[in-house]
Structure formats: C-alpha cells, structure tokens
Amino acid sequence: MSLETLPEPEIDPERSATELIRLEQVTKRFGDHTVLDRLDFSVDAGKHVTLIGPSGSGKTTILRLLMTLAKPDEGTITVAGQRLYPAPEKQVREVRKKIGMVFQQFNLFPNMSVLRNITEAPVTVLGLDRDEAEARARELLDLVGLADKCDARPTRLSGGQQQRVAIARALAMRPQVLLLDEVTSALDPELVAGVLDLLRDIARSTDITMLCVTHEMNFARDISDQVLMFDSGRVIESGTPEKIFSDPEKDRTREFLGAVL
Ligand SMILES: Nc1ncnc2c1ncn2[C@@H]1O[C@H](COP(=O)(O)OP(=O)(O)OP(=O)(O)O)[C@@H](O)[C@H]1O
Ligand SMILES: [Mg+2]
C-alpha cells in the first residue's frame, strides 16, 4: 500500500478528544541495537508528561521521532488525530507544525540575530508576513525577559539567555505540543533556576501540551501531571509524580531514583 492511500487511523472518538500524542508499537533500531521496543504510550491534550530513565534508554530518540528528525522502523505515531508516521510527506509537514522542541544545546542559528532566529520559521513555514512575525517575536522576547536582546547575535548571550531565546523560538510557531529535552543540563548551575521558572510559568499559563525529558526531579514534580519511567525501550511504570517519586512499584524505578535524587 502506498503512503498516499494509507487509511487514517481508526481512533475511538472518546479517546481522540483527549489524546494529543499516541505512539503505538513503535520500534526503533540503530543497526542491531533495538532502542525502542514496540513502545506504546499517549499524552493527553494539555497535560505535562515527563519521561525519566537511565542514560541511553531512548528518551531523546522518542522526541526525535516526534520531531521527524528520525523515523521509526515499525509502529505508528499519531498527533491530534492525524498520522505523523507513516504518512505522506505533505501530511507530515502539516502535522509537524503542531510540534515545537527545545534542545539541550539550544541549536540557535548563530549567523542570525535573536529576532531573526524567532521569526524565521513563522515566516518560511507558517507563511506569516515579516511584520506580524516580528510583532509576535517581540512579545515572546518580552515574555522570556529578553526584550532588549532583539538585535544581538546568539553567541553574545549567556547559555541561559540562549535557552530562553530557543524557548521563544519554539513558542513562536504556536505549537500544540512542546518537547523539552534536558533543556537545562548544558547550563551553568546559577542559570538553571531562571529557565525552569520560565517553563513553570509557561506550563501554568498556557494550554500547551508538554512532553519533557529532565533530570531536574523537583521541576518534574512541580509541573508534571504524569511521569513515565522508561527503561530498555519500554515504559515500565507510569503515574503521578507523587506516586512515582515517593512510592514507585518497580524496583528498577526505585533504583534509578535512588541514583539521581
Ligand atoms: N543516530 C544514532 N546512531 C546510532 N545510535 C544511536 C543514534 N542515536 C541514538 N543512538 C543510540 O540509541 C540509544 C538511545 O539514545 P538516546 O539518545 O535516545 O538516549 P537517552 O535516553 O536520551 O539518553 P541520555 O539520558 O544520555 O540523553 C543509545 O544507545 C544511543 O547510543
Ligand atoms: Mg537524551
């Protein structure tokens, strides 16, 4: 069957009203190393879900699949009731617009001003006119406390400031889902709190769905509706932060938390 003629997934209407992201039986291999092993999980609209688990367990890989930076070998990924994988290229581009990501290493465009970093994708991908994109960018820079840095090059900013620009850049696309991959782990310790406070604000004041990978357990406890403990390519346990951090069911979760808390 060609991708163009693939049927849309059959989605239980009751489920699709609440589910924004769904991975079903997703397998991802690098060579003969199976990183994700028939992974199933979903994230409800408006919820904040945190992925925890040991290094190398595949957390970043999940976010990269959602960003379409990598493709699964098997399984399906659905976002807001529409297939992201497998799907025809045009549909992938449409669905992909619903998703924003902030990376550990900021990944700003070094040769563009801060303002241009934020306006580039809204102009080229969403087709906003430049004035409108700039107005939106200035509002966002105000939100992240960097209104005075519009014309600066990213290399002139501190790591914390660069990460706040990266957050503004992701929000400029008005995503339904924000993916956050260890966004404070490359920062000097004194800059971490500012970025986490900004994210707490965003979590509180918007209805953006968040899927977050973090080693900041206090932050995870504060913002998460649900925590997924991830190991060997599978979700081995999930629950509220209170449950997972205070009274986990699985020995593996207890052992992991013992090492990181
Ligand atoms: N492009 C790639 N080519 C080959 N192997 C890869 C590639 N990307 C990831 N891997 C492997 O997949 C596994 C999962 O990597 P991933 O980056 O998803 O882990 P992680 O849970 O995010 O780890 P960390 O907590 O250290 O960031 C690792 O064993 C990694 O070496
Ligand atoms: Mg990672």
Side-chain angles (χ1 to χ4, degrees):
M1 193 186 301
S2 96
L3 283 179
E4 308 297 330
T5 56
L6 265 181
E8 276 297 300
E10 280 189 30
I11 295 171
D12 173 349
E14 230 156 71
R15 219 174 64 188
S16 66
T18 53
E19 260 181 23
L20 197 60
I21 299 174
R22 178 164 199 83
L23 277 76
E24 274 176 299
Q25 297 286 299
V26 168
T27 295
K28 177 67 184 169
R29 300 182 198 94
F30 292 108
D32 52 12
H33 178 190
T34 301
V35 176
L36 305 179
D37 181 16
R38 287 161 292 153
L39 176 67
D40 283 318
F41 80 85
S42 62
V43 178
D44 283 351
K47 298 292 184 197
H48 307 138
V49 174
T50 299
L51 284 173
I52 61 170
S55 179
S57 62
K59 304 178 299 294
T60 295
T61 302
I62 295 175
L63 302 190
R64 288 176 50 84
L65 293 179
L66 284 163
M67 280 304 279
T68 67
L69 296 170
K71 283 188 176 169
D73 295 294
E74 282 153 40
T76 61
I77 302 177
T78 311
V79 177
Q82 274 190 302
R83 270 276 165 75
L84 179 68
Y85 184 87
E89 196 48 44
K90 184 157 170 273
Q91 180 166 325
V92 171
R93 280 199 299 275
E94 281 309 305
V95 178
R96 179 54 198 75
K97 288 180 194 167
K98 301 178 198 290
I99 309 171
M101 180 160 173
V102 182
F103 299 85
Q104 185 175 355
Q105 296 294 346
F106 331 135
N107 294 9
L108 295 175
F109 309 121
N111 55 339
M112 292 180 191
S113 69
V114 162
L115 192 73
R116 187 74 190 263
N117 261 275
I118 301 173
T119 57
E120 194 59 18
V123 170
T124 57
V125 180
L126 300 184
L128 256 61
D129 69 49
R130 200 158 279 283
D131 287 349
E132 199 181 348
E134 284 196 12
R136 188 186 284 190
R138 285 178 202 281
E139 266 174 39
L140 285 165
L141 281 172
D142 205 31
L143 173 85
V144 304
L146 293 173
D148 55 335
K149 300 291 183 194
C150 282
D151 301 319
R153 288 292 164 111
T155 44
R156 292 297 179 87
L157 304 181
S158 74
Q161 289 172 331
Q162 290 187 56
Q163 197 56 299
R164 283 187 275 151
V165 173
I167 292 167
R169 180 177 64 175
L171 294 176
M173 295 295 281
R174 305 234 166 119
Q176 291 183 36
V177 189
L178 190 59
L179 309 177
L180 302 166
D181 192 5
E182 296 192 37
V183 296
T184 56
S185 53
L187 298 179
D188 290 339
E190 73 270 23
L191 302 176
V192 169
V195 170
L196 293 181
D197 282 346
L198 170 63
L199 291 170
R200 278 192 189 89
D201 266 359
I202 293 168
R204 246 196 315 265
S205 62
T206 71
D207 55 9
I208 297 180
T209 306
M210 290 183 173
L211 180 59
C212 177
V213 174
T214 186
H215 294 306
E216 296 284 344
M217 296 301 164
N218 286 329
F219 171 70
R221 205 187 290 256
D222 287 355
I223 69 145
S224 306
D225 297 296
Q226 194 187 15
V227 177
L228 304 179
M229 171 67 194
F230 196 72
D231 193 32
S232 307
R234 295 279 187 102
V235 174
I236 61 166
E237 176 165 9
S238 72
T240 62
E242 294 74 25
K243 173 73 183 154
I244 298 285
F245 292 132
S246 313
D247 183 25
E249 302 278 326
K250 293 277 196 309
D251 291 343
R252 184 71 188 95
T253 310
R254 206 165 295 125
E255 186 187 282
F256 171 74
L257 291 171
V260 297
L261 282 180

